[in-house]
Amino acid sequence: GELATQQEKLTQNVRDLRPQTSSEIFENIKSRFVNVIFAYTKKGIFGKSESTIELRAIPVKIDGAIWLVINSGDTVIAPVPNPQQYLAPETLSISVQGKAYRFQPSAIYSTAEDPRLLALQVPSAFVEKEKIEPLRQPENFFTFSDCVVINPSKFYYGQIPFRADFKNNAYAQLDVGLIQSVFGTFSPNEGDIVMSRSGDYMGNMVDGSVAVLLRTMTPSKKLPLGKDYSPADAVNFVGDVSARLKKVPYRLK
């Protein structure tokens, strides 16, 4: 038993130290993405209008829980320059759709790590039914000097050198001028996911050259959804993330 345990650790160490290609990483994770669907109503000149926003995300295991991490930029609860002018949806619900199963979270969170990121907790029963193995985090985020960036909507990807931000190693600066991509038009953008060359999840792009490295997941502001949602809660939520974003250093915006 002891020998088997040591062998397993050795195999894991070899796996962590062997850099995978961007194509290997993409092929390994592309079937694990799920759809995150925002359904909301807003008041307009001609009455209420119903709309949906559909994003892709991938389950990640962080601090013992399973999360979907998405960028708020394409949603109706993103930070805004002037929160006093923000018009909240009248209703808001979210559903997460896999290949055969779906669930509706009761709340969405902003993350303490960066106010531009949103997080949804995933029931373990969902990933078990969908037969999805959640991504894990690397033991060392800087084992390799480059990373793989994947666009969840178009499934474009590329390999890019990166380094820790010189003042805050919770962020990484990507040298996008040296991208190696099989797609001539691909360049990193807000909402792309960042993978270690070990095949593990590191974080999300919040800009064309800045990534948040999620070593931990700390839920911050909570926004109830569905029957528990209220426009007033959305106003408070957007006000909170907008105020926090103003405190983020300019170079990380």
Side-chain angles (χ1 to χ4, degrees):
E2 209 171 303
L3 181 62
T5 300
Q6 293 301 320
Q7 180 64 39
E8 185 179 344
K9 287 182 179 178
L10 180 61
T11 302
Q12 185 63 54
N13 288 339
V14 170
R15 192 190 80 86
D16 288 344
L17 292 172
R18 183 186 77 82
Q20 297 181 36
T21 67
S22 55
S23 295
E24 281 182 296
I25 291 170
F26 175 71
E27 288 300 320
N28 185 41
I29 72 168
K30 67 178 182 180
S31 63
R32 306 190 209 182
F33 281 92
V34 297
N35 294 322
V36 181
I37 304 160
F38 287 70
Y40 62 96
T41 60
K42 276 196 168 185
K43 283 182 179 177
I45 298 174
F46 303 106
K48 287 186 178 180
S49 62
E50 297 182 1
S51 303
T52 60
I53 297 168
E54 190 165 332
L55 306 171
R56 279 201 190 110
I58 196 164
V60 183
K61 194 165 190 177
I62 306 176
D63 299 335
I66 303 171
W67 297 93
L68 294 172
V69 181
I70 57 177
N71 288 65
S72 62
D74 290 329
T75 73
V76 289
I77 50 173
V80 293
N82 189 348
Q84 287 75 27
Q85 296 179 358
Y86 170 72
L87 296 176
E90 291 295 302
T91 63
L92 175 62
S93 62
I94 296 177
S95 58
V96 177
Q97 178 70 58
K99 293 181 180 65
Y101 298 92
R102 67 187 297 163
F103 73 94
Q104 289 189 302
S106 59
I108 191 167
Y109 301 87
S110 66
T111 69
E113 287 70 25
D114 189 280
R116 291 162 287 190
L117 297 183
L118 301 172
L120 294 162
Q121 191 157 9
V122 181
S124 56
F126 175 78
V127 292
E128 289 167 6
K129 290 176 181 177
E130 284 288 318
K131 296 181 171 55
I132 296 174
E133 182 183 354
L135 296 182
R136 60 177 194 139
Q137 300 166 287
E139 290 288 332
N140 183 350
F141 279 64
F142 298 101
T143 298
F144 306 102
S145 60
D146 49 9
C147 61
V148 173
V149 176
I150 299 173
N151 180 300
S153 61
K154 296 182 179 178
F155 279 167
Y156 289 173
Y157 55 90
Q159 186 175 311
I160 310 172
F162 79 108
R163 66 187 186 282
D165 181 76
F166 67 98
K167 287 187 177 179
N168 187 343
N169 67 1
Y171 292 85
Q173 298 281 348
L174 277 66
D175 194 344
V176 294
L178 298 177
I179 184 171
Q180 298 176 34
S181 172
V182 295
F183 307 99
T185 58
F186 173 64
S187 59
N189 207 345
E190 176 187 357
D192 293 352
I193 69 168
V194 183
M195 301 288 295
S196 168
R197 292 286 304 281
S198 64
D200 300 316
Y201 169 85
M202 294 203 300
N204 282 45
M205 299 293 297
V206 288
D207 183 78
S209 61
V210 178
V212 180
L213 303 179
L214 285 177
R215 291 179 176 83
T216 61
M217 168 60 69
T218 313
S220 182
K221 191 72 173 176
K222 175 182 176 180
L223 177 62
L225 300 169
K227 61 181 177 58
D228 297 321
Y229 168 84
S230 76
D233 286 337
V235 169
N236 289 334
F237 184 90
V238 170
D240 177 81
V241 295
S242 300
R244 287 170 50 210
L245 183 57
K246 287 182 179 178
K247 297 177 182 178
V248 173
Y250 181 77
R251 71 181 187 282
L252 299 175
K253 295 180 182 178

